[in-house]
Amino acid sequence: PPIVTIDGYDNNWYVGRSDAVLFCQAKANPEPTTITWTTASGSLPDTVVVEHNKLTVRKVDDAVNTTFTCEVKNKHGASRKTLTTFVI
């Protein structure tokens, strides 16, 4: 199964910040077949855009004061990593 990490969080997410980015990194052989982002509530906030392994928060607000989960799957299984972000 993949080994998953989340990179990019700098502990400086403040209300009004734009384009805060998280990357879901996976070491896997064979390559991952799917990468899925979710939050503790299940659905992603409206200000979030996902492109493959990259999660971009277009405009930071209280809706992204949450725990993000990245799940990566390949033919040998699935692994996930969580990251709790704090809006200051």
Side-chain angles (χ1 to χ4, degrees), residues 31-86:
E31 290 295 312
T33 53
T34 60
I35 297 174
T36 308
W37 285 98
T38 57
T39 65
S41 64
S43 59
L44 295 171
D46 292 337
T47 58
V48 171
V49 176
V50 172
E51 297 174 43
H52 190 55
N53 71 323
K54 178 181 172 184
L55 179 146
T56 303
V57 179
R58 295 285 184 210
K59 194 75 147 182
V60 173
D61 60 17
D62 287 332
V64 296
N65 197 35
T66 189
T67 299
F68 289 97
T69 301
C70 173
E71 182 177 65
V72 180
K73 295 179 182 176
N74 70 5
K75 73 177 189 177
H76 296 297
S79 298
R80 63 179 55 193
K81 188 72 174 179
T82 61
L83 175 79
T84 301
T85 57
F86 297 97

Side-chain angles (χ1 to χ4, degrees), residues 9-30:
Y9 184 60
D10 62 3
N11 293 300
N12 190 31
W13 285 25
Y14 53 87
V15 173
R17 178 177 174 176
S18 58
D19 296 327
V21 177
L22 298 176
F23 294 96
C24 180
Q25 305 290 354
K27 292 181 182 178
N29 188 6

